[in-house]
Amino acid sequence: MGVNLFDIAIWWLVLEIIGFLALPVSFYLCRNLKDHGYSVSKPFGLLLTTYFSWIISYFTGYSYFSVLFSLVLTGIFSLLIYFIYMKKRHISVDKKYIFKFEILFLIAFIIFAIIRAYSPEIYWTGGEKFMDMTYINSMLRTTEFPPLDPWMSGTVTYYYYFGYLIVANLINISGVFPSIAFNLATASFFALSFATAFGIGFNLTEKIKYGIITAFFVTIAGNLVGFFQLMDILIKENYNGILSFSYWTSSRVIPDTINEFPFFSFLQGDVHAHMISISFQLLVIVLLLNIVRSSDLELTSILIVGLAIGFLYPLNTWDYPVYLVLGFITVTTMILSNNPEIKNNVIKPIISIASMAAASYLLYLPYHLSYKIDRSVLLVTSGRSSLIFYIAIFGFFLFMIYTFIFENIGNNTGNHTINNNINDNTNNRKSK
């Protein structure tokens, strides 16, 4: 169940093709950003192919051909965008940026492919690999949605299964064995998350180095527990203890709870919903950043954001309300901005918020109608965590945040920067 170079090359090539097919759509949707959405073309392409293959299955059934047809639809959609929008406008993305971006993506992918190659076992102890592999195999064997429940014959899966559908689609396209694809999926989702986080940092600052720093803090940096473990080993001069360093401890900081962070999830290697969803959460943030940088609330952008936010519900349900609220806040920010085009038309923002919420639900209506929950879910547990545990998890990030706040308190530097970016983008579009 290891990984060989040919499988790595084929899997990487499939990701590149999917990203290329979605490139015109990304350019159109993120035209207010410095990289025009190049950094999110791969996750957005995966979103489109997954969504199309799922919708098509309700008419033709799910199969290898429905997955290929979803690729064709994505390509047709991109061609329409190209001839309608891009051909009339000159959109230039720095070739050096594209080269550096692709190198970063490839390095991140190769590194985690090597890590998984050294620990490729799919086992049931210490994680959820066995369960994840079971759902992937179930997805590969299903012919309709919702897929059959692999645990109880004759029943369907009442579980957010889109993450496994993404992996199943990649397996169908690439032809890689599922047991090998399992580990390549982990490598690809790490690389996608790293690259998309890089895109966020770059589009905020237009600096490559800040893109890399952003990617590091999002996908690699964790809580302080690992640092405390390392300091304890060094202080006690127990250098042999480094070889038995326990990464598991940093995910169980608060007693009787699970406190995973992105790098732990990638290192653990469970192809689980919360890990798969990271790159698609970052995709939503990029799409919202594009709205912040725009001078008007365009219905097309709002509906696509609704599609991306709604995608999180069948992917990892717990993320959906968080990013729906974030979408509302973003649109509200546009209302409160010093933008006369929006301020003079209050009805439009209200329609935008309603359209975003409606799209996020209605575009996935078949999933919602087929989903059944037999028991209530407690979203907030009773009791409180101790301050020391809270600091151990969020201390470093809180330090960075409050350092930034206190350095900028008393001035409006941040607001001026945002307003200048909005005005610059407005002037650029008018000049075109």
Side-chain angles (χ1 to χ4, degrees):
M1 285 188 283
V3 179
N4 62 52
L5 294 177
F6 181 76
D7 292 326
I8 292 175
I10 290 296
W11 193 270
W12 169 82
L13 183 60
V14 168
L15 291 174
E16 290 293 330
I17 291 172
I18 291 174
F20 178 76
L21 288 176
L23 204 53
V25 186
S26 298
F27 278 1
Y28 172 72
L29 293 174
C30 300
R31 54 192 178 277
N32 300 306
L33 301 181
K34 177 67 175 179
D35 73 349
H36 299 285
Y38 189 89
S39 56
V40 295
S41 60
K42 293 179 181 66
F44 192 69
L46 286 172
L47 185 154
L48 288 178
T49 53
T50 303
Y51 182 78
F52 287 148
S53 66
W54 174 69
I55 288 294
I56 292 169
S57 71
Y58 283 95
F59 300 96
T60 65
Y62 180 72
S63 66
Y64 171 76
F65 296 103
S66 65
V67 176
L68 289 184
F69 191 41
S70 70
L71 281 176
V72 173
L73 275 181
T74 302
I76 293 173
F77 191 38
S78 289
L79 280 176
L80 290 174
I81 293 294
Y82 174 79
F83 285 111
I84 294 173
Y85 171 75
M86 291 183 60
K87 204 170 183 181
K88 299 178 181 178
R89 296 170 175 83
H90 176 67
I91 296 178
S92 61
V93 180
D94 187 0
K95 293 180 180 179
K96 291 182 179 179
Y97 169 81
I98 293 176
F99 178 76
K100 292 175 182 177
F101 177 88
E102 290 297 342
I103 290 296
L104 282 172
F105 176 80
L106 180 61
I107 291 174
F109 177 67
I110 293 294
I111 287 175
F112 249 85
I114 293 173
I115 291 173
R116 295 313 313 151
Y118 275 95
S119 180
E121 300 83 11
I122 300 172
Y123 55 95
W124 67 271
T125 55
E128 297 171 304
K129 292 183 178 64
F130 188 77
M131 184 201 83
D132 295 326
M133 190 69 210
T134 302
Y135 276 121
I136 291 172
N137 281 328
S138 173
M139 199 66 61
L140 289 169
R141 295 174 182 175
T142 194
T143 57
E144 59 184 4
F145 293 106
L148 294 176
D149 190 336
W151 306 103
M152 184 173 291
S153 178
T155 63
V156 296
T157 299
Y158 294 120
Y159 188 69
Y160 30 88
Y161 55 80
F162 263 43
Y164 305 115
L165 179 57
I166 295 171
V167 178
N169 284 350
L170 289 172
I171 292 172
N172 277 314
I173 297 169
S174 66
V176 174
F177 286 119
S179 56
I180 298 175
F182 185 92
N183 290 299
L184 286 176
T186 301
S188 58
F189 289 125
F190 171 78
L192 288 167
S193 300
F194 188 91
T196 308
F198 167 84
I200 293 173
F202 176 78
N203 284 303
L204 282 171
T205 64
E206 300 186 4
K207 301 287 185 180
I208 294 287
K209 63 179 180 181
Y210 291 123
I212 295 174
I213 291 172
T214 303
F216 171 81
F217 279 115
V218 171
T219 58
I220 298 176
N223 57 48
L224 294 173
V225 173
F227 174 76
F228 292 153
Q229 286 186 73
L230 183 60
M231 288 298 100
D232 181 64
I233 291 171
L234 296 177
I235 290 172
K236 294 179 180 179
E237 297 184 356
N238 180 25
Y239 301 115
N240 292 329
I242 294 178
L243 299 177
S244 59
F245 182 89
S246 175
Y247 74 94
W248 187 267
T249 305
S250 60
S251 71
R252 302 297 187 272
V253 180
I254 302 174
D256 302 318
T257 65
I258 300 174
N259 318 120
E260 290 190 23
F261 48 92
F263 189 72
F264 172 88
S265 300
F266 293 124
L267 192 62
Q268 175 65 14
D270 294 343
V271 185
H272 206 53
H274 69 273
M275 185 263 278
I276 298 172
S277 72
I278 294 172
S279 54
F280 297 95
Q281 295 175 51
L282 297 172
L283 167 63
V284 172
I285 292 174
V286 172
L287 294 175
L288 291 175
L289 177 60
N290 178 73
I291 290 179
V292 171
R293 291 285 176 86
S294 65
S295 61
D296 195 10
L297 292 171
E298 298 180 1
L299 184 59
T300 303
S301 298
I302 293 296
L303 293 178
I304 294 298
V305 170
L307 173 70
I309 293 175
F311 190 77
L312 296 175
Y313 196 103
L315 176 60
N316 190 42
T317 303
W318 315 105
D319 296 326
Y320 173 75
V322 175
Y323 287 92
L324 186 62
V325 171
L326 181 62
F328 292 166
I329 292 174
T330 301
V331 174
T332 303
T333 301
M334 293 296 294
I335 298 172
L336 299 177
S337 66
N338 296 321
N339 193 324
E341 292 182 30
I342 299 175
K343 271 192 169 184
N344 295 336
N345 188 0
V346 181
I347 301 298
K348 190 172 184 178
I350 295 175
I351 294 175
S352 298
I353 291 175
S355 299
M356 183 188 298
S360 70
Y361 186 85
L362 294 177
L363 290 174
Y364 300 88
L365 190 60
Y367 177 88
H368 296 296
L369 294 177
S370 65
Y371 197 79
K372 181 173 67 176
I373 300 178
D374 294 328
R375 61 183 66 185
S376 59
V377 179
L378 184 63
L379 295 179
V380 181
T381 60
S382 59
R384 296 177 179 226
S385 56
S386 300
L387 180 62
I388 186 65
F389 295 131
Y390 182 81
I391 293 175
I393 296 175
F394 300 110
F396 180 71
F397 298 101
L398 289 172
F399 171 77
M400 298 292 289
I401 291 170
Y402 281 104
T403 298
F404 174 80
I405 291 174
F406 289 136
E407 282 188 356
N408 292 277
I409 200 167
N411 63 64
N412 297 318
T413 303
N415 291 332
H416 288 319
T417 301
I418 293 174
N419 289 333
N420 287 337
N421 285 329
I422 292 174
N423 292 333
D424 288 344
N425 279 289
T426 303
N427 293 333
N428 288 336
R429 282 202 309 278
K430 287 180 178 179
S431 63
K432 293 177 182 179

